[in-house]
Amino acid sequence: MTRYTSATPGDRDEMLAAIGVDSVDDLFAQVPEPLRLGKPLALPLGMSEAEVFERLSALAARNADAEEQVCFVGAGMYDHYVPAIVDAITQRSEFLTPYTPYQPEISQGGLQVMFEFQTAMSELTALPISNAGLYEGPSSVASAGYLAMAATGRKRFVVSRGLHPHSRETLETYAVGYGAEVVEVGLRDAETDAEALAAAVDGETAAVFLQSPNFLGAVERVEALGAAAKEHGALLVVATDPMTLGVLKPPGEQGADIALGEGQPLGNRLDFGGPSFGFFCATEEQIRRMPGRIAGETDDVDGRRGFVLALQTREQHIRREKATHNICTAQALNALAAMVHLAWLGRGGYRELGELLLRRTAYARERLAAVEGVELLHGAPVAREFAVRLDAPVDRVLERCAERGIAAGYPLGRDYTEYEDGLLVAITERRTKAQIDDLAEALGAAVAAEAGEFGITEMQKSPVPGEASR
Amino acid sequence: MTRYTSATPGDRDEMLAAIGVDSVDDLFAQVPEPLRLGKPLALPLGMSEAEVFERLSALAARNADAEEQVCFVGAGMYDHYVPAIVDAITQRSEFLTPYTPYQPEISQGGLQVMFEFQTAMSELTALPISNAGLYEGPSSVASAGYLAMAATGRKRFVVSRGLHPHSRETLETYAVGYGAEVVEVGLRDAETDAEALAAAVDGETAAVFLQSPNFLGAVERVEALGAAAKEHGALLVVATDPMTLGVLKPPGEQGADIALGEGQPLGNRLDFGGPSFGFFCATEEQIRRMPGRIAGETDDVDGRRGFVLALQTREQHIRREKATHNICTAQALNALAAMVHLAWLGRGGYRELGELLLRRTAYARERLAAVEGVELLHGAPVAREFAVRLDAPVDRVLERCAERGIAAGYPLGRDYTEYEDGLLVAITERRTKAQIDDLAEALGAAVAAEAGEFGITEMQKSPVPGEASR
Amino acid sequence: MIATETPMQRERTQTIYEKSKSGRRAAVLPAAEVPERPLEELIPAELLRAEPPCLPEVAEPEIVRHYNRLSRRNFDLDTGFYPLGSCTMKHNPRLNERVAALPGHARLHPAQDPKRAQGALELMWLLQESLGEICGLPHVSLQPSAGSHGELAGLLLTRAFHADRGEERTKVLAPDTSHGTNPASVTMAGYEAVKVATNERGGVEMDDLRAKIDEDPDQVACLMLTNPNTLGLFDENIAEIAALIHEAGGTLYYDGANLNAVMGHSRPGDMGFDIVHVNLHKSFSQPHGGGGPGAGPIAVSERIEPFLPRPQVVRRQDGNGSGPVFGLDLDRPKSIGRLRGFQGNFGVFVRSYAYILSLGADGLAEASETAVLNANYLKARLAEGRAGKRLPVAFDRHCMHEFVLSGKPMKKELGLATLDLAKRLLDYGFHPPTVYFPLLVEEALMIEPTETETKESLDAFAEAIERILAEAEQDPEVAKSAPYTTPVRRLDEVKATRRPVVRQPL
Amino acid sequence: MIATETPMQRERTQTIYEKSKSGRRAAVLPAAEVPERPLEELIPAELLRAEPPCLPEVAEPEIVRHYNRLSRRNFDLDTGFYPLGSCTMKHNPRLNERVAALPGHARLHPAQDPKRAQGALELMWLLQESLGEICGLPHVSLQPSAGSHGELAGLLLTRAFHADRGEERTKVLAPDTSHGTNPASVTMAGYEAVKVATNERGGVEMDDLRAKIDEDPDQVACLMLTNPNTLGLFDENIAEIAALIHEAGGTLYYDGANLNAVMGHSRPGDMGFDIVHVNLHKSFSQPHGGGGPGAGPIAVSERIEPFLPRPQVVRRQDGNGSGPVFGLDLDRPKSIGRLRGFQGNFGVFVRSYAYILSLGADGLAEASETAVLNANYLKARLAEGRAGKRLPVAFDRHCMHEFVLSGKPMKKELGLATLDLAKRLLDYGFHPPTVYFPLLVEEALMIEPTETETKESLDAFAEAIERILAEAEQDPEVAKSAPYTTPVRRLDEVKATRRPVVRQPL
Ligand SMILES: Cc1ncc(COP(=O)(O)O)c(C=O)c1O
Ligand SMILES: Cc1ncc(COP(=O)(O)O)c(C=O)c1O
């Protein structure tokens, strides 16, 4: 027996007798002899709970988390405060331990949460249909590609370079599978190049993919950019940050056919990148092509209100090779976390949070722009993240800031060779004015120190905050 | 509205109209004008959840907890590993948020837990009656005094100096109230002085108080010591450590009338000293004099098994000034934690844990005794805690160890002027052999450094571990 | 007819012991790592236990299931309305659980050198300061573990205070509406409990008070008062009461169980009280835990301060100017001494301090205001319709945070006892109010909605009462045999006391 | 007759939106601290939202109550037996939740410099190594987010593998017993799904397999197999199957949903599989969360390795001899690329690694052993009495960790469909088995007890089935109208699909 199993030697004997075999080995006889391992796995023996705890605590201690370093890193996942009720509710056994609600009578809790979540996401994006969540952001983008192919019968995607690099790469990975072509359109002063986009979209284009705010933080003119898609009958797919939709015009009001994105900012912790969830909303037209679970409202035999998995005929367990997607296990618990967070914020709080991010981000942007050796990478409007250029090697500056306990941002050079000197700085409600001031100070000091060390010539700086631009 | 209240301005208006007043102030009119505060409290304004979290995290960060320092401090509370299921279960709303089970039909969960807990504590102590828990250890000792007075009609307590100093002091505090006299009996080589005890007990003695293992860690010969109590018709009250009763002869088998103690080691975290609980077990004879809640098994109208608060006629809400005790709100959740921990250990695990403590403690004791400048304070048998003497000022040695990340023990000089050079060292299953070795190393180095600094002459040390004694 | 009781309703409960099977277990322990010496080498054989105690033998999955299933047999505040009078069943924020669980709090040893526990001591000091401000009294001890412990402390302080002046007094007065812990504490502190009558406005009957004092003013040690009292009424004569007691040389003790009515509006210190206990598990949102843990800090006036329990958390200005240092003051020669081990229920302090920070001066005042508004609204709702007739309010004036109804007409006219109404409420999904207390109201129902309930909850509760009364007019047997929907129904409490079975025979 | 339904059973459910009232809220936000500039100064007016989205307006206490009450409308593994076949509903240790919640894990930003995330990367590397050992394959990518994602990854790897050799193949074979995700993944990866028949022993029909291969061996990209398969049977011909596929030049894909049967006993790599996905939310105790999160790491053979997704966690020996350094390898020229953002479901990795550490080599083998024992015992119990007659096992041989019964005789003889039996089980407090899958078994019931169930649970389940059948012999209507004890009963699923209402109109 391990601590999680209960079969005592006595139980075993009784059970074996009932089965009519002498030993458990007899049951494994169906495994051909040469395929039986016949020796223990080359893994350590089991450990006590306290030892496992210590071991994993020791590993965790070797990570510099957002408690240890003030975190200005975003790039799709953000250090928001997750309210305590989110944990309390998601850790309830009744939500934590069941599986997909195949038996609606005993799954009304989970099903209703899905329905509420769908309502909330539909509200956020201003699109009428939402599923109950997909794995996470970038793979949701790829799923939109699959949908667009089915909807249009076309196999060509036009993608803005402002789309998250992980999303672009994931889309390409999937596209190799389902046989689509991906065409990228570049940026101009951090915004998608409208002309190039218009030129790239044609009658073979299944979908146009935009992101707003885009990876550089710029709020895109989605509606204008989307015109090209409309013109050629391609779907307009818009990735977005769900924390910005209290203040930014939602994709559904800008002509998007599909709005999707990484759900982490809503109630999910950073977790080194997962689990979180992807949200996926669309127009009525796409309802029967949607990927993932969808809960629907209905009645029971007594006329009582209830919820079930709706439109299951789209899904793999019914339609197999003809399913609209292969997804099965998704991210229900993460969607619950998002729903609780949204309910906690409420209409007013959600709006205010969006405003708070906008204002603090504007402050931070101006504050940083005023720092010697730091200038704005673009002047486009931003919501909660912005990009700067540094007059010193970004990695070295980051290292210096890290030593001061600040994770200063995301180095754009990781994904954009054209922005080797770029740093992406993200703001959440946890980043106080004082921390922003510290960041400015630290960046300035780091750039100066590096510049001193490497003899980089100082550049002329615009002295007035806000006027800095390239 | 705060975030925890719901009355919108509209609600308020409707409610005031229903009440028939114009404003809430009208309701406060019953408070005489001069007694109305008329200004805000001199406290800060309310803060957001994230801010409160940060504020309290910052305070917590200024404490050196057992995660930061390897903890050899005991003295009644111990750094045991609390299994994860304890938290999961005690944090369930259904256990966390109700109050005392006055309505048994909707409180069967809590009542049954009390019943199970009583069974387990009765087993541990080998006494037939247990209550459902009191506040904590020392005040339980004082409560035993109150019971003993009622049981014997006498007003004199004889107390071993081996009883926890907090227990002795608390007993004295209470005794001033209920008008009893406390007589203390000293120790001899760390064990209660049997002769002095026999001499102190007389026909006016209501109870004799012992502790085993006592404060210096020594396992007392309770039965022999208790003879004096039996002889004079006094109750024998034994405080004990509930983590040792898997291996040590329980109080009930040594003639105790009452066994009690601090419950923290069972499933409760350190929490800087509370909340935990006190357990309190007794002979059948005392059942109607017991303090605190007691659950009892019974049937309902349909003959179904159930549990209720039994023997309520002892309690303050029924008997008022004639109650056996004044306790009302106790420590139900902490008792639940203990019960879950005990179920998790199970009969086998509980025994093994006791053995583990014994063996590791023996190892630690020998290891330390072999250190230059450290010698055993006593040679009495010990279970999980032992005392040494240091050849250097204890405070300074502790400070040096602390700087190395070790909380080396409890300085006996805090409570015993006769042991100014004494250090009490506690072992739990979390203290590994490697940590014990580190402790030995650190103590040795610290004593040597202090001795060097203060020019204390080195003493002759017995080189053979285990033979060290005074 | 097919039963519609859920499987959990139907099941005969088993204890964890009954699920035990020899050899099963949840715990795996670390290896000893040290020599496996026979125990007899370490402990004399006669001090060793022969047989380990009987504990359940169950693997982890079944432990979790057992306690999860048991938990579902509880009604709780996070599930429904819980208007248990005098208990302030207000919302328990999960934020507080989160901060209490931080390792810097949860794994801090109580004997840690104060130098390395500055955060904890500062938190305690800040809580002391906050409670002092709320109570209008300059000094606070956090040590008492609950309200009743605070009461005992207050009486011991009173004794020490008088002893210090060379006096020894014997009597403690308390109104007949007082909570059971008050007289029980009086006895435990070695005093004689003297009951004071209640007047027709629900306050202290001044003539009776005067009479009780005048009997022998020198013997009056203290008057214990709850204000607003357990009827939910603020005593309009409080200033005069205080004057009378002080004149007689007694102390005035404030049972703070009802502080939730007046936070930020009126302060016991300003009313003339010398000693106040605060129930952190009531006014300051510590979860009730099924009957604890709580904490009962006491706030006291200047003249009582020297006698406060030790240790006391103090703030000192450090010599080297590097800011304040927090310490545990043990050197208190006049102190009554310790009331318990270590420093009190620190985990409770963390939660309550988080609550005070969350609400702040504005939020606390608003909380009391809404508590009073909710209570008066529910009272008004229950003054309508059937409830108004069958369940009149005991004292007809505006209440503070709670109010008391009398089920006397209901009993007379419908044959329904307050207990029956309470049991029937269970079927409607509500926790019943406190019943049969205070004692001077016949068939009492004591209702405290708290500020964290919505108007909708209050309305639903009023409607349930109305429906139960309507039902009873048709057929009183419905309520008299209630509840019907709970896992067990009307348990035999007499049997449990006459032939108590308080542990499982194994 | 007085209803004995509990208030929660009776209540008409309301959504959180229906509990909303304008102006209420739970959140208080920090002050902005920075100038309150008009938004139009920051964002062009035409990009601003006119009206904030409609979100519920509810204070915290009601949010907690709402979701707590909803949670009670779920059946869960921590409350009862959940023998949902193919899903491995084993105990979810709380220890795993605890370690996942450590701030060093939970608040670690995924883009953190690897240098400052060494603990996380080492954990991932250790998990990779452990899964590789368990699967008998040398390389692991943790990236896939669930089983179906792993399947897609496996097929993309297959495509890359063939492309690298200049081949392009079009067909993927899978038995008719395969899970729905298999063919769905095949289509999504741009292949054609080809079904292979099942033989009378429940394994792959070898003749059909050969025929399907021989049709056009060059087009066979892959065979996807679950082994033991969804009938709970180990394919005795696996060696030959592997040889046939490899001979044709295809890859062999192992759907690891049933790995729980063979951990430490038999390894897919040793069986000849090239690519394996592991469902961490099945075999490795990640809680199912009501439908996720999970993770579907893949283990692959040497020849597949170059194509693994990027980034890959790698261990490097540091130049300066100070021990290994862990990194994210992006420089993988042949890689199929990313399957998702960042590094995968790290929180799930923490839990599963904690589980592997807890059980160890010995515990994992014991878990599989007990899983197989429990399944065979329950199968034996259900071969007795009424169940034995009405619900025969689909393939009568020893099973591995699960087995499939057929309700065909029950339907014919008693008029009871498998669905009716499932619904009636709800009244007995059990989660029903997986029903109507695998498709080739008529009226299928797929039962997987897992190793963490007690013999008592298995017995109770067998007895419930027996009683339901006995009941049905008396009156089949009882089951046909079941359940009776749930908050809702037999919901109209057709309506929900025909006229879908998938969000609340506001
Ligand atoms: C009025 C009153 N006084 C005193 C107490 C005793 O407080 P505690 O239960 O915290 O000991 C209570 C509550 O139970 C009470 O309601
Ligand atoms: C046999 C089998 N294959 C594949 C899957 C798909 O796995 P997932 O749900 O993790 O995508 C499942 C489970 O749902 C399964 O049972």
Side-chain angles (χ1 to χ4, degrees), chain D residues 86-327:
Chain D
S86 205
C87 297
T88 314
M89 302 301 289
K90 64 166 69 174
H91 177 61
N92 305 136
R94 286 286 175 167
L95 163 63
N96 304 356
E97 298 304 310
R98 176 180 280 183
V99 292
L102 291 168
H105 297 140
R107 281 191 72 191
L108 181 59
H109 195 285
Q112 177 61 292
D113 184 350
K115 191 160 84 178
R116 293 194 159 75
Q118 284 294 298
L121 293 170
E122 178 168 355
L123 187 151
M124 290 174 71
W125 187 83
L126 289 165
L127 180 60
Q128 287 176 188
E129 292 293 298
S130 307
L131 294 176
E133 167 66 13
I134 293 164
C135 292
L137 285 163
H139 301 284
V140 172
S141 162
L142 299 176
Q143 211 178 106
S145 311
S148 75
H149 209 205
E151 294 169 20
L152 183 69
L155 295 167
L156 295 173
L157 287 170
T158 293
R159 182 179 290 285
F161 166 71
H162 287 132
D164 190 52
R165 306 167 144 214
E167 291 177 23
E168 208 187 315
R169 294 170 173 244
T170 55
K171 290 181 186 174
V172 174
L173 278 46
D176 51 6
T177 52
S178 74
H179 192 261
T181 50
N182 291 189
S185 298
V186 169
T187 307
M188 211 164 162
Y191 287 111
E192 181 195 338
V194 178
K195 208 185 285 182
V196 181
T198 296
N199 69 20
E200 72 295 336
R201 299 264 304 153
V204 169
E205 172 53 56
M206 295 303 291
D207 290 344
D208 192 44
L209 176 64
R210 273 186 219 100
K212 297 281 159 71
I213 295 174
D214 290 349
E215 249 175 47
D216 199 346
D218 291 354
Q219 292 307 309
V220 174
C222 175
L223 169 67
M224 300 180 84
L225 211 61
T226 313
N227 193 27
N229 64 15
T230 59
L231 296 163
L233 303 172
F234 197 94
D235 203 309
E236 297 147 324
N237 300 317
I238 181 62
E240 192 184 345
I241 293 169
L244 284 172
I245 293 296
H246 287 153
E247 212 170 282
T251 63
L252 197 59
Y253 183 90
Y254 184 92
D255 175 337
N258 291 349
L259 191 68
N260 208 50
V262 295
M263 297 183 301
H265 293 272
S266 183
R267 309 194 302 175
D270 299 340
M271 301 173 204
F273 286 92
D274 298 283
I275 309 167
V276 173
H277 86 243
V278 178
N279 301 67
L280 296 185
H281 45 300
K282 295 179 180 179
S283 323
F284 296 96
S285 84
Q286 160 70 25
H288 283 88
I298 45 175
V300 303
S301 59
E302 233 23 287
R303 63 181 187 155
I304 302 295
E305 189 276 340
F307 313 103
L308 280 179
R310 29 169 259 159
Q312 183 69 356
V313 175
V314 292
R315 183 171 76 158
R316 299 192 187 96
Q317 240 13 79
D318 196 5
N320 60 23
S322 68
V325 172
F326 299 87

Side-chain angles (χ1 to χ4, degrees), chain C residues 2, chain D residues 390 410-417 419-421 423-424 467-482 484 490:
Chain C
I2 296 150
Chain D
R390 312 287 193 192
M410 174 178 75
K411 186 161 186 192
K412 212 168 134 196
E413 296 159 17
L414 300 175
L416 227 64
L419 185 74
D420 301 322
L421 177 70
K423 295 298 179 200
R424 188 61 180 144
R467 279 171 64 185
I468 293 170
L469 292 172
E471 222 175 54
E473 286 171 9
Q474 300 297 314
D475 178 5
E477 283 312 309
V478 174
K480 287 169 93 170
S481 305
Y484 304 93
R490 302 247 181 174

Side-chain angles (χ1 to χ4, degrees), chain B residues 99 328-329, chain C residues 86 146-148 151 179 181 226 230 255 257 279 281-282:
Chain B
Y99 209 176
C328 177
T329 302
Chain C
S86 203
S148 74
E151 294 170 20
H179 192 260
T181 50
T226 313
T230 60
D255 175 337
N279 301 65
H281 45 300
K282 296 179 179 178

Side-chain angles (χ1 to χ4, degrees), chain B residues 95 135 208 249 257 317:
Chain B
F95 284 129
Y135 300 139
V208 170
K249 184 173 277 188
D257 295 284
H317 62 285

